[in-house]
Each structure stands twice: as structure tokens, then as C-alpha cells.
Amino acid sequence: MSPQELDQTLQALPLRAGVYVPEDLLEDWFAPGTGMNPVSSEALDAAEAYGKRFECEFKYYPERMEGVFWKWVPAI
């Protein structure tokens, strides 16, 4: 998957579904050259801002070594 494919995926993402991105891709896509292990704060901040462009939440899970984008579900 490329960043452009991720754009399309997040646009079409239904509520309550998530997209899981390994930490090496987070680093490559959102803050290349900033180092890894742990993932840089620059990459995580950029991923969060990117998700907001598609009305998605973002959270990084270090124990799983991945970040997750998902569409927020409004309170019912």
C-alpha cells in the first residue's frame, strides 16, 4: 500500500472499521529520515494530523508496533 492508496482507503472507510499500519510504514510515510525504534514523535504527530483530514482518529500502539486509523462513531 502507498500513501495515495491509504488516502482512498480512509475516504471509503466505514464507521467502526480500522486500518492498521506497521510502525516502519508510519515512519517512512509521515516523517522519513527521523529515525525509528521508537517511532519518532514527528511521525506520530503527522499521522494524527493526516487522519483528521479524513475524519479519522489515530492511535499508536507501541506493544503492537502499529498505528490505527478509524472513523469515530458519534454517541447515540
Side-chain angles (χ1 to χ4, degrees):
M1 179 180 280
S2 68
Q4 294 77 23
E5 291 171 311
L6 185 57
D7 289 357
Q8 295 169 357
T9 302
L10 293 183
Q11 286 172 343
L13 191 67
L15 295 178
R16 300 177 58 204
V19 174
Y20 301 79
V21 180
E23 63 183 12
D24 62 318
L25 291 180
L26 290 174
E27 197 72 44
D28 288 347
W29 291 351
F30 297 110
T34 57
M36 206 174 102
N37 201 11
V39 174
S40 69
S41 60
E42 293 91 341
L44 298 177
D45 292 344
E48 183 175 1
Y50 169 82
K52 287 180 181 178
R53 290 183 13 215
F54 299 96
E55 298 179 349
C56 289
E57 301 289 326
F58 173 79
K59 183 168 180 170
Y60 173 65
Y61 295 91
E63 67 280 2
R64 295 182 352 207
M65 299 170 43
E66 66 186 5
V68 180
F69 294 95
W70 74 94
K71 294 264 174 123
W72 179 74
V73 178
I76 296 175

